[in-house]
Amino acid sequence: MAARPAVAKPEATRLRVIIRAMRSRFPMIAALAFGLGACSHGAPPPPAHEFDGTAAFEYLKTEMGFGPRILGTKPHEQMAQWLDSLLRRRADTLVVQAWTHVTAKGDSLRLRNFIARFNPTATTRVLFLAHWDTRPHSDGPNSKNPKAPVPGANDGASGVAMLLGVADALKRHPPAIGVDLLFDDGEDYGDFNQEPGDVLIGSRYYAAHPVPGARPKYAVLFDMVADKDLQIYQEGNSLTGAPEIVSLVWAAARKVGHQDVFIDAPKHTLTDDHVELQKVGIKAIDVVDFDYPPWHTPEDTIDKVSAASVQTVGDVAMALIRLDGT
Ligand SMILES: [Zn+2]
């Protein structure tokens, strides 16, 4: 993308004439010619550091202001309305999936997935996702108060804030490929040790109810991406299910200078939303910093997270979109 303005129009025209002559014998050149056409007539390229981590962090603060976003509560409903109105003003199309989920205990809960679509008719698409609900109980290994709700600064708010920053960047400079941003509900409600345990509900619903049009060629889940001490290792189920996408994302991180955060080594293996997408054949990976002592505790609060970390992951997400196919 950075090379776009360097291609002077007369040169591009001359190249196109040569390419036209060669096109019939070399089909690959036809694809190159298409690219040059886009260069000489396309919009100006987006700036190199287009993701605004400071603005994205403001979204995180707004989320925290609602209180814990637990299924069936007022803050959960307020958050849904906020997401809906915000995404409607940014996306080309907003798909809202709304349904009732009956829990293992027999409670009926209203859930919603929000799918913000950019360039919805493009056949080459990528999917980024994050869960927007938060956990009702602090039952993590470091919790001293298991009955308290998890505030969810990192586990919930961070991935959403990052995706909203991506939505802002795509509104300013529309993508050449199709991009779907899935804000999924009900990831963190119940018990991860039961099957099915009222967890990963939204991603399972999305997997069973595909949106119209082309399937994403890959999906990246962003979960717990704002720890002040951000270190992202490669996750086990991602390496097993979609190793080529792990390589792609870590290569993008190197290209934008974040190889110090995106560490080229495996560490944890997690049951997370990406597993539900893998089950229906989507090449999905998890970008997650699981070395986070306040995980599933009342201490998952805003002082543990930073705009700088959201910026780092946002830079990588934007690089995946802008560098796709280049
Ligand atoms: Zn969680």
Side-chain angles (χ1 to χ4, degrees):
M1 297 296 261
R4 265 186 184 181
V7 181
K9 210 171 176 180
E11 247 185 279
T13 308
R14 191 150 36 101
L15 270 170
R16 272 204 296 276
V17 172
I18 297 165
I19 287 159
R20 209 172 294 134
M22 296 171 79
R23 196 182 278 168
S24 57
R25 274 191 292 165
F26 301 99
M28 281 298 288
I29 300 291
L32 177 63
F34 178 79
L36 281 171
C39 284
S40 53
H41 299 292
H49 296 288
E50 59 175 321
F51 185 88
D52 186 341
T54 306
F57 201 73
E58 290 300 315
Y59 293 131
L60 190 149
K61 287 183 190 169
T62 302
E63 292 178 70
M64 295 305 287
F66 292 129
R69 283 79 67 206
I70 301 164
L71 301 189
T73 67
K74 195 175 168 196
H76 184 263
E77 181 56 36
Q78 287 173 325
M79 169 94 177
Q81 287 175 16
W82 176 72
L83 268 181
D84 188 293
S85 69
L86 202 145
L87 292 171
R88 229 167 260 287
R89 280 179 271 134
R90 285 159 180 76
D92 295 325
T93 310
L94 177 66
V95 176
V96 181
Q97 296 181 323
W99 72 102
T100 300
H101 173 78
V102 181
T103 67
K105 282 184 187 166
D107 296 330
S108 289
L109 298 168
R110 186 168 178 235
L111 272 78
R112 267 155 294 179
N113 285 341
F114 298 94
I115 305 149
R117 313 198 79 192
F118 295 84
N119 201 357
T121 56
T123 51
T124 300
R125 314 196 62 77
V126 298
L127 171 67
F128 295 163
L129 65 150
H131 73 92
W132 67 269
D133 65 309
T134 56
R135 190 161 184 77
H137 305 297
S138 291
D139 52 357
N142 301 321
S143 176
K144 296 184 190 75
N145 188 0
K147 289 205 169 131
V150 177
N154 201 21
D155 191 0
S158 72
V160 168
M162 200 285 285
L163 290 192
L164 289 174
V166 170
D168 282 340
L170 297 181
K171 172 79 176 166
R172 287 191 293 268
H173 296 278
I177 59 168
V179 179
D180 292 333
L181 306 178
L182 165 62
F183 300 77
D184 66 89
D185 202 355
E187 186 270 345
D188 221 348
Y189 185 75
D191 187 347
F192 279 88
N193 297 315
Q194 282 179 10
E195 185 63 43
D198 297 327
V199 292
L200 316 177
I201 308 166
S203 53
R204 198 157 50 240
Y205 190 91
Y206 173 88
H209 301 85
V211 291
R215 267 164 80 93
K217 65 175 182 175
Y218 68 86
V220 183
L221 163 64
F222 295 94
D223 198 3
M224 301 206 293
V225 289
D227 184 0
K228 274 183 176 168
D229 174 29
L230 193 65
Q231 288 192 313
I232 297 173
Y233 288 86
Q234 297 171 343
E235 184 275 330
N237 284 322
S238 308
L239 286 166
T240 306
E244 67 276 40
I245 308 307
V246 175
S247 299
L248 182 80
V249 173
W250 262 250
R254 277 195 299 279
K255 277 180 193 161
V256 289
H258 292 316
Q259 62 277 7
D260 52 333
V261 171
F262 282 72
I263 298 156
D264 211 346
K267 198 163 184 180
H268 306 284
T269 295
L270 302 173
T271 302
D272 209 343
D273 283 325
H274 64 315
V275 173
E276 294 297 333
L277 301 188
Q278 287 185 355
K279 283 180 188 170
V280 294
I282 299 172
K283 293 179 185 300
I285 73 158
D286 195 358
V287 167
V288 58
D289 177 0
F290 199 62
D291 297 304
Y292 183 66
W295 176 66
H296 288 187
T297 78
E299 284 77 47
D300 182 5
T301 45
I302 201 155
D303 53 307
K304 313 298 189 310
V305 294
S306 75
S309 295
V310 179
Q311 177 77 52
T312 296
V313 181
D315 285 345
V316 175
M318 290 314 301
L320 286 168
I321 294 167
R322 301 304 187 197
L323 301 174
D324 191 278
T326 60

